[in-house]
Amino acid sequence: MPGNTWGQAFRVTTFGESHGEALGAIIDGCPPGIELTAAMIQRHLDRRKPGGRFTTPRQEDDQIEILSGVFEGVTTGTPIGLLIRNQDARSQDYAKIRDRFRPGHADYTYQHKHGIRDYRGGGRSSARETAMRVAAGAIAQQFLLQQGVSIRSAVEQIGDVKAQQSDWQQIDDNPFFFLDAAAVPEVEALLRTIKKAGDSIGAAIRFEVAGLPVGLGEPVFDRLDADVAKALMSINAVKAVEIGDGFAVANQRGSEHRDEMTPSGFLSNHSGGVLGGISSGQVLRGRLALKPTSSIGISGQTINLQGEPTEIVTKGRHDPCVGIRAVAIVDAMLALTLMDHWLRHRGQNADVDCQTPQI
Amino acid sequence: MPGNTWGQAFRVTTFGESHGEALGAIIDGCPPGIELTAAMIQRHLDRRKPGGRFTTPRQEDDQIEILSGVFEGVTTGTPIGLLIRNQDARSQDYAKIRDRFRPGHADYTYQHKHGIRDYRGGGRSSARETAMRVAAGAIAQQFLLQQGVSIRSAVEQIGDVKAQQSDWQQIDDNPFFFLDAAAVPEVEALLRTIKKAGDSIGAAIRFEVAGLPVGLGEPVFDRLDADVAKALMSINAVKAVEIGDGFAVANQRGSEHRDEMTPSGFLSNHSGGVLGGISSGQVLRGRLALKPTSSIGISGQTINLQGEPTEIVTKGRHDPCVGIRAVAIVDAMLALTLMDHWLRHRGQNADVDCQTPQI
Amino acid sequence: MPGNTWGQAFRVTTFGESHGEALGAIIDGCPPGIELTAAMIQRHLDRRKPGGRFTTPRQEDDQIEILSGVFEGVTTGTPIGLLIRNQDARSQDYAKIRDRFRPGHADYTYQHKHGIRDYRGGGRSSARETAMRVAAGAIAQQFLLQQGVSIRSAVEQIGDVKAQQSDWQQIDDNPFFFLDAAAVPEVEALLRTIKKAGDSIGAAIRFEVAGLPVGLGEPVFDRLDADVAKALMSINAVKAVEIGDGFAVANQRGSEHRDEMTPSGFLSNHSGGVLGGISSGQVLRGRLALKPTSSIGISGQTINLQGEPTEIVTKGRHDPCVGIRAVAIVDAMLALTLMDHWLRHRGQNADVDCQTPQI
Amino acid sequence: MPGNTWGQAFRVTTFGESHGEALGAIIDGCPPGIELTAAMIQRHLDRRKPGGRFTTPRQEDDQIEILSGVFEGVTTGTPIGLLIRNQDARSQDYAKIRDRFRPGHADYTYQHKHGIRDYRGGGRSSARETAMRVAAGAIAQQFLLQQGVSIRSAVEQIGDVKAQQSDWQQIDDNPFFFLDAAAVPEVEALLRTIKKAGDSIGAAIRFEVAGLPVGLGEPVFDRLDADVAKALMSINAVKAVEIGDGFAVANQRGSEHRDEMTPSGFLSNHSGGVLGGISSGQVLRGRLALKPTSSIGISGQTINLQGEPTEIVTKGRHDPCVGIRAVAIVDAMLALTLMDHWLRHRGQNADVDCQTPQI
């Protein structure tokens, strides 16, 4: 069984290599009647683009095309085809890595899994693949917003710089989607140092989803928190995921952790909005961590296709911190996961009023 | 789409409520020719049983029956039916929670998802459900052992007691599957205090899988690490999962994190055995955290079915630390995930030698 | 990917060999709030039992047990476990076919697919497996009846005896579920002759489903008629399926076949109730044919496990016409398919009123 | 759950409306190392094109593009993206059917399923969608040919003209893929009459697959014959499917139908190459029937969006017999089904030698 499809009721299947002809996706199962234009999707794509939303010269890049499933500006319930052409597909020279495995990259594992790989820019394993996740996620966010669900995420740590406060309203105003405006200069200084050293740095992201109903999630395996963990861990470079209090629970007592209930609501949210794998109606919250990019200017030991020892240095542009651009991808994966569970839930429970008694 | 099935090529579907007639599972897709007896499965079940493997009087409990798919001691390739009868199904009185939601439990979310719930012992949301995961996992471990793959996990933290060293060979000799033999007395003291207070405590578990080939995992969504994260997060009470260095990567540099390669192997294992979502042939390693059980003897505020305020105390036996019995479940979920990916991989890549050049 | 699961939203997974310990099934995805008792299921099982509903001494056979998913007489939305013990599991001697392949049976293909087989009574390939389809189908029929959907099927041909008229109301009053009461004596005479000759005979079945809404079916692959065709062809011995006018369309003109519409309804039903793979609101109707059972008393040539020539005669009870007992199985497979599509449709189209303008 | 994906191990997902921007598909799960070029796919597409392979001016139409998954002429194991632009997307005027339902078409059912439809040329329900099935099927046929499996199908009946003999070698030499060369003039005469009358006619197709191993098919639901039936019934206009002797079995005796075995092979092939849902190694053979196209020049009664009575005549080019172009689609759906089962089988049974003792 291949692995390029996300979701069961709201299914997203993607294709495309970093330096191939194009990236594309098919969204199957989208409900009919949702307003959708290329511009709506483009806004989300621009948030994950190299350099973020400030570098106008790049605005031409990653132009999304809607090829089907939308008629007169509205979804029809048939599959939605999406396409982005790779403009600079042939512009770079990757001959050096044709027969060498870059440490920390998937060159080695792809080669041995399939016996062949498109080595150009990492081929299918490149983070460029996530553009299609963001495009599909934009459709899901459009649906969820209509249901009163809002998703947000922000960078809360880069290296040893941690957010001391949460200024959610300003994360789109700083180039790092950083949660603490006061720490932005520190972040800039750190990244300048890292870049000068030709090195890279890791990061941590926090997310919150408000407005969820009670009842999303399909125990015992397709729990909402389990699928969120998979969704986030499937993003390039992610190595850890927490829901609610996360690892801190190892040193909590039951009397401290359990969220007591009153007619006016829960008294706390240690659980992070999930009980028994089903959304509780509280804010769904958690954290994830991303490793530093492995494409750095510092030489490293590796082997070649023949298994012989060699060295490699990754030339060319690269993000010193992949965590920054991941914010838009985290929003997208959360949206895809929640919308899929939304459709799954209502198919089985259409006759159930999952809202009362609401607290 | 319901959620009680795990895996795609090696599919496990389970049923059963804590106080219903029985627990059961169907394993579909098991390769033919694997030796299998009820006794082989029973050994694994006994590791997760209340009180662990020391309380002989319990040896009669949770007797597993193989109902199909095995002929003359060998799997036939047809579905394997498993059954465990609930002996004490009617022995306890849960009338008190019939119309009250226990804080921290899934009572509230199940009720609102389906509009009805089997409240006895938590019904389907009870950790008793995991007995069938362990039974199915025993079959997967039997297959993986034949392939040279070995799985192990142990408790590394309970409350503020953390393992200072790793004594893997003795974890089955202490009642807590604790990784550090020297800390066992501390753990016992802590649990005695917790129990006396009628409270509970959280825990953290470490896992390691050795002997994996290069190539397991299906990018871009069904990455091996993503499915491992889902598998572990789907276990009752789990709130956090790490692969490799986990959250520590947020403060690592690329030059430090990337695992360099030489003809004699990788020079480090920060990645935890996965690159680009595909197994690298290194040890697959990570951590997870489990919340303290919510069934405690300390009264807490809650609401009833009518949304009115009330209080509740959970009477009767309960584990002060659910993390201990989770060790067998972690092994099982890892085995189910790895075997599923093993069959998926070879279906597509049967003609590929995914082993050379091996490092 | 294994093949023992039917459906996507309403999923039925079965296990069990003809002479193993038991037959069982898990129904996952059943909506909550449906009244369900073992007696409701038993009624359907009794229709497919050897000898049908007249032979009281058999009433004890095939007793179904509901093991989970039902609480206080109502489904809870959690998986429903079903079980039937095989009483005469060890009562028969199949040593003769241990190393011989019965012509027309699956002995040869199962042996070569898996390299091993449970030869007793055909093991997993026995029609006994369909008992679980009927049990699961009973639950789906319970749901569909509440929605105003009614399913019926009857034998319309056995050998050269064809129904000349349709007396639907009496099919349960004759032992062959035969559609034409006047032809029953003919059928009895034919079957007596066949039985005396130690031979068997084929049959054809007609089905009709009334009360369906417009909109069931998921183009382009999971069309309602495509899934009905698969559902029926998956029944043991079925070799042909027709929807609507079936093969007769090869010699029809467009002006004759297309069903014209008026405000008071369609003027004909050549399509059989499906347009573009989606239910039209008309009666879903079609036909299927079943081969004669291959278990006959007449010696036949075959080979053994070593590929050497030999002969075989199938001793013991066997139905001279498997088509008769298939009626209950056809009803069940139609119910499973329609209920699955019902839940799938409403998950995506919950906000659509698929009924207006109704004709 | 949406329905635009075929297969489980070899998965094909398609998108595209008849008059939308483009048609596309993603093939996920294709084994690596298979030679593939756009020209290889184009050859198959040309067989289903309007007018068949004789009208050179059309050679520019339906140009297929491979967008990913192929590197240096060989598949890499990553998803294959396929695209065909719709050149004459805006060239036709369908305003007339905007608010009217064409009898026999899916206009009525799509409108009521989703509450909205792309009416232009039938939108998603148009047979134009099958171009992507043929493109994907070309890849599967490339794989199967390497395994020694050959697929062929031909028209054996159009209206009352039936093939009296089988001249397989010449079917690509007559414009109707007709099985009996001698009957071609009759067919031409019939179609001329039909066309002049502005009417259309049905057809029947025969198929044969040679070179299959023993063992393909996953009982009990995903039988090979059940999936073949679904594959063929999912093709636009198909109303009936037979495997082996099909409906004729209703009047066969067991002693006549069962295919006896000898060391030199089966003595007959009434089963059509499938026993118990698993391929027997014999030729997989069967038949299907297609209804006459509903787009005809003869006025018919219908209703409009408001449910009011009206009339409609379908203007413009249309095939008088859709069965002719269906031959390439039948080959494609058989290839997709067989390749999917091939990969599924070897994933579970990689260690089984499913070939011995071969007969």
Side-chain angles (χ1 to χ4, degrees), chain A residues 279-300:
Chain A
S279 63
S280 66
Q282 287 192 283
V283 168
L284 175 71
R285 63 178 190 83
R287 296 172 64 244
L288 59 145
L290 295 96
K291 72 177 186 180
T293 179
S294 305
S295 300
I296 57 177
I298 300 165
S299 179

PDB file of all heavy atoms in Angstrom, chain A residues 279-300:
ATOM      1  N   SER A 279     -12.773  14.721  20.639  1.00  0.00           N
ATOM      2  CA  SER A 279     -12.706  16.131  21.012  1.00  0.00           C
ATOM      3  C   SER A 279     -13.721  16.421  22.114  1.00  0.00           C
ATOM      4  O   SER A 279     -14.847  15.912  22.098  1.00  0.00           O
ATOM      5  CB  SER A 279     -12.998  17.028  19.804  1.00  0.00           C
ATOM      6  OG  SER A 279     -14.317  16.813  19.331  1.00  0.00           O
ATOM      7  N   SER A 280     -13.290  17.246  23.081  1.00  0.00           N
ATOM      8  CA  SER A 280     -14.131  17.535  24.255  1.00  0.00           C
ATOM      9  C   SER A 280     -14.853  18.873  24.111  1.00  0.00           C
ATOM     10  O   SER A 280     -15.645  19.238  24.984  1.00  0.00           O
ATOM     11  CB  SER A 280     -13.241  17.582  25.500  1.00  0.00           C
ATOM     12  OG  SER A 280     -12.359  18.699  25.403  1.00  0.00           O
ATOM     13  N   GLY A 281     -14.557  19.627  23.057  1.00  0.00           N
ATOM     14  CA  GLY A 281     -15.152  20.949  22.912  1.00  0.00           C
ATOM     15  C   GLY A 281     -14.242  22.038  23.460  1.00  0.00           C
ATOM     16  O   GLY A 281     -14.464  23.222  23.219  1.00  0.00           O
ATOM     17  N   GLN A 282     -13.177  21.613  24.162  1.00  0.00           N
ATOM     18  CA  GLN A 282     -12.190  22.597  24.619  1.00  0.00           C
ATOM     19  C   GLN A 282     -11.238  22.922  23.474  1.00  0.00           C
ATOM     20  O   GLN A 282     -11.292  22.303  22.413  1.00  0.00           O
ATOM     21  CB  GLN A 282     -11.385  22.020  25.786  1.00  0.00           C
ATOM     22  CG  GLN A 282     -12.168  21.935  27.083  1.00  0.00           C
ATOM     23  CD  GLN A 282     -11.237  21.647  28.246  1.00  0.00           C
ATOM     24  OE1 GLN A 282     -10.797  20.518  28.431  1.00  0.00           O
ATOM     25  NE2 GLN A 282     -10.932  22.663  29.020  1.00  0.00           N
ATOM     26  N   VAL A 283     -10.327  23.857  23.702  1.00  0.00           N
ATOM     27  CA  VAL A 283      -9.312  24.187  22.702  1.00  0.00           C
ATOM     28  C   VAL A 283      -8.381  22.981  22.526  1.00  0.00           C
ATOM     29  O   VAL A 283      -7.861  22.435  23.503  1.00  0.00           O
ATOM     30  CB  VAL A 283      -8.497  25.429  23.130  1.00  0.00           C
ATOM     31  CG1 VAL A 283      -7.258  25.605  22.249  1.00  0.00           C
ATOM     32  CG2 VAL A 283      -9.379  26.679  23.067  1.00  0.00           C
ATOM     33  N   LEU A 284      -8.196  22.549  21.261  1.00  0.00           N
ATOM     34  CA  LEU A 284      -7.242  21.490  20.946  1.00  0.00           C
ATOM     35  C   LEU A 284      -5.872  22.150  20.878  1.00  0.00           C
ATOM     36  O   LEU A 284      -5.646  23.021  20.039  1.00  0.00           O
ATOM     37  CB  LEU A 284      -7.597  20.854  19.601  1.00  0.00           C
ATOM     38  CG  LEU A 284      -6.635  19.803  19.052  1.00  0.00           C
ATOM     39  CD1 LEU A 284      -6.721  18.519  19.856  1.00  0.00           C
ATOM     40  CD2 LEU A 284      -6.929  19.528  17.580  1.00  0.00           C
ATOM     41  N   ARG A 285      -4.966  21.771  21.793  1.00  0.00           N
ATOM     42  CA  ARG A 285      -3.673  22.472  21.818  1.00  0.00           C
ATOM     43  C   ARG A 285      -2.522  21.484  21.979  1.00  0.00           C
ATOM     44  O   ARG A 285      -2.699  20.408  22.556  1.00  0.00           O
ATOM     45  CB  ARG A 285      -3.630  23.502  22.949  1.00  0.00           C
ATOM     46  CG  ARG A 285      -3.747  22.906  24.340  1.00  0.00           C
ATOM     47  CD  ARG A 285      -3.636  23.982  25.422  1.00  0.00           C
ATOM     48  NE  ARG A 285      -3.506  23.333  26.747  1.00  0.00           N
ATOM     49  CZ  ARG A 285      -2.334  22.879  27.233  1.00  0.00           C
ATOM     50  NH1 ARG A 285      -1.222  22.996  26.513  1.00  0.00           N
ATOM     51  NH2 ARG A 285      -2.298  22.289  28.419  1.00  0.00           N
ATOM     52  N   GLY A 286      -1.365  21.877  21.462  1.00  0.00           N
ATOM     53  CA  GLY A 286      -0.195  21.024  21.565  1.00  0.00           C
ATOM     54  C   GLY A 286       1.046  21.684  21.009  1.00  0.00           C
ATOM     55  O   GLY A 286       1.030  22.875  20.665  1.00  0.00           O
ATOM     56  N   ARG A 287       2.123  20.898  20.913  1.00  0.00           N
ATOM     57  CA  ARG A 287       3.427  21.403  20.469  1.00  0.00           C
ATOM     58  C   ARG A 287       4.108  20.367  19.584  1.00  0.00           C
ATOM     59  O   ARG A 287       3.791  19.179  19.629  1.00  0.00           O
ATOM     60  CB  ARG A 287       4.326  21.685  21.668  1.00  0.00           C
ATOM     61  CG  ARG A 287       3.849  22.774  22.591  1.00  0.00           C
ATOM     62  CD  ARG A 287       4.709  22.857  23.860  1.00  0.00           C
ATOM     63  NE  ARG A 287       6.094  23.242  23.567  1.00  0.00           N
ATOM     64  CZ  ARG A 287       7.158  22.455  23.780  1.00  0.00           C
ATOM     65  NH1 ARG A 287       6.976  21.234  24.267  1.00  0.00           N
ATOM     66  NH2 ARG A 287       8.370  22.870  23.499  1.00  0.00           N
ATOM     67  N   LEU A 288       5.069  20.825  18.789  1.00  0.00           N
ATOM     68  CA  LEU A 288       5.896  19.912  18.001  1.00  0.00           C
ATOM     69  C   LEU A 288       7.280  20.523  17.844  1.00  0.00           C
ATOM     70  O   LEU A 288       7.455  21.729  18.031  1.00  0.00           O
ATOM     71  CB  LEU A 288       5.280  19.657  16.633  1.00  0.00           C
ATOM     72  CG  LEU A 288       5.041  20.855  15.707  1.00  0.00           C
ATOM     73  CD1 LEU A 288       5.263  20.458  14.258  1.00  0.00           C
ATOM     74  CD2 LEU A 288       3.623  21.400  15.915  1.00  0.00           C
ATOM     75  N   ALA A 289       8.275  19.673  17.525  1.00  0.00           N
ATOM     76  CA  ALA A 289       9.639  20.155  17.334  1.00  0.00           C
ATOM     77  C   ALA A 289      10.162  19.706  15.986  1.00  0.00           C
ATOM     78  O   ALA A 289       9.870  18.593  15.534  1.00  0.00           O
ATOM     79  CB  ALA A 289      10.541  19.631  18.448  1.00  0.00           C
ATOM     80  N   LEU A 290      10.916  20.595  15.324  1.00  0.00           N
ATOM     81  CA  LEU A 290      11.506  20.291  14.015  1.00  0.00           C
ATOM     82  C   LEU A 290      13.023  20.327  14.099  1.00  0.00           C
ATOM     83  O   LEU A 290      13.600  21.235  14.708  1.00  0.00           O
ATOM     84  CB  LEU A 290      11.033  21.286  12.961  1.00  0.00           C
ATOM     85  CG  LEU A 290       9.544  21.253  12.636  1.00  0.00           C
ATOM     86  CD1 LEU A 290       8.803  22.306  13.450  1.00  0.00           C
ATOM     87  CD2 LEU A 290       9.308  21.432  11.155  1.00  0.00           C
ATOM     88  N   LYS A 291      13.660  19.352  13.488  1.00  0.00           N
ATOM     89  CA  LYS A 291      15.117  19.282  13.495  1.00  0.00           C
ATOM     90  C   LYS A 291      15.686  20.374  12.585  1.00  0.00           C
ATOM     91  O   LYS A 291      14.979  20.908  11.727  1.00  0.00           O
ATOM     92  CB  LYS A 291      15.583  17.906  13.011  1.00  0.00           C
ATOM     93  CG  LYS A 291      15.393  17.666  11.518  1.00  0.00           C
ATOM     94  CD  LYS A 291      15.949  16.291  11.113  1.00  0.00           C
ATOM     95  CE  LYS A 291      15.898  16.117   9.601  1.00  0.00           C
ATOM     96  NZ  LYS A 291      16.422  14.806   9.160  1.00  0.00           N
ATOM     97  N   PRO A 292      16.958  20.714  12.785  1.00  0.00           N
ATOM     98  CA  PRO A 292      17.599  21.673  11.877  1.00  0.00           C
ATOM     99  C   PRO A 292      17.758  21.033  10.503  1.00  0.00           C
ATOM    100  O   PRO A 292      17.940  19.820  10.400  1.00  0.00           O
ATOM    101  CB  PRO A 292      18.961  21.911  12.536  1.00  0.00           C
ATOM    102  CG  PRO A 292      19.217  20.681  13.354  1.00  0.00           C
ATOM    103  CD  PRO A 292      17.864  20.249  13.834  1.00  0.00           C
ATOM    104  N   THR A 293      17.640  21.845   9.431  1.00  0.00           N
ATOM    105  CA  THR A 293      17.804  21.300   8.095  1.00  0.00           C
ATOM    106  C   THR A 293      19.193  20.684   7.943  1.00  0.00           C
ATOM    107  O   THR A 293      20.164  21.161   8.528  1.00  0.00           O
ATOM    108  CB  THR A 293      17.599  22.378   7.013  1.00  0.00           C
ATOM    109  OG1 THR A 293      17.797  21.761   5.741  1.00  0.00           O
ATOM    110  CG2 THR A 293      18.597  23.520   7.176  1.00  0.00           C
ATOM    111  N   SER A 294      19.260  19.609   7.184  1.00  0.00           N
ATOM    112  CA  SER A 294      20.540  18.914   7.002  1.00  0.00           C
ATOM    113  C   SER A 294      21.348  19.480   5.843  1.00  0.00           C
ATOM    114  O   SER A 294      22.492  19.089   5.645  1.00  0.00           O
ATOM    115  CB  SER A 294      20.262  17.419   6.774  1.00  0.00           C
ATOM    116  OG  SER A 294      19.494  16.915   7.843  1.00  0.00           O
ATOM    117  N   SER A 295      20.728  20.399   5.091  1.00  0.00           N
ATOM    118  CA  SER A 295      21.458  21.021   3.979  1.00  0.00           C
ATOM    119  C   SER A 295      22.275  22.186   4.512  1.00  0.00           C
ATOM    120  O   SER A 295      21.768  23.298   4.634  1.00  0.00           O
ATOM    121  CB  SER A 295      20.471  21.539   2.926  1.00  0.00           C
ATOM    122  OG  SER A 295      19.699  20.492   2.430  1.00  0.00           O
ATOM    123  N   ILE A 296      23.537  21.924   4.859  1.00  0.00           N
ATOM    124  CA  ILE A 296      24.379  22.992   5.413  1.00  0.00           C
ATOM    125  C   ILE A 296      25.696  23.099   4.662  1.00  0.00           C
ATOM    126  O   ILE A 296      26.063  22.199   3.898  1.00  0.00           O
ATOM    127  CB  ILE A 296      24.657  22.774   6.917  1.00  0.00           C
ATOM    128  CG1 ILE A 296      25.310  21.412   7.144  1.00  0.00           C
ATOM    129  CG2 ILE A 296      23.365  22.876   7.712  1.00  0.00           C
ATOM    130  CD1 ILE A 296      25.686  21.162   8.590  1.00  0.00           C
ATOM    131  N   GLY A 297      26.377  24.223   4.884  1.00  0.00           N
ATOM    132  CA  GLY A 297      27.618  24.502   4.153  1.00  0.00           C
ATOM    133  C   GLY A 297      28.854  23.914   4.796  1.00  0.00           C
ATOM    134  O   GLY A 297      29.974  24.245   4.420  1.00  0.00           O
ATOM    135  N   ILE A 298      28.639  23.073   5.810  1.00  0.00           N
ATOM    136  CA  ILE A 298      29.786  22.465   6.502  1.00  0.00           C
ATOM    137  C   ILE A 298      29.971  21.038   5.998  1.00  0.00           C
ATOM    138  O   ILE A 298      29.020  20.265   5.954  1.00  0.00           O
ATOM    139  CB  ILE A 298      29.555  22.468   8.026  1.00  0.00           C
ATOM    140  CG1 ILE A 298      29.381  23.910   8.514  1.00  0.00           C
ATOM    141  CG2 ILE A 298      30.695  21.776   8.759  1.00  0.00           C
ATOM    142  CD1 ILE A 298      28.801  24.017   9.911  1.00  0.00           C
ATOM    143  N   SER A 299      31.203  20.728   5.604  1.00  0.00           N
ATOM    144  CA  SER A 299      31.474  19.418   5.022  1.00  0.00           C
ATOM    145  C   SER A 299      31.190  18.279   6.011  1.00  0.00           C
ATOM    146  O   SER A 299      31.390  18.427   7.215  1.00  0.00           O
ATOM    147  CB  SER A 299      32.940  19.351   4.576  1.00  0.00           C
ATOM    148  OG  SER A 299      33.205  18.074   4.029  1.00  0.00           O
ATOM    149  N   GLY A 300      30.683  17.170   5.497  1.00  0.00           N
ATOM    150  CA  GLY A 300      30.393  16.027   6.352  1.00  0.00           C
ATOM    151  C   GLY A 300      30.775  14.716   5.699  1.00  0.00           C
ATOM    152  O   GLY A 300      30.837  14.622   4.467  1.00  0.00           O
TER     153      GLY A 300
END
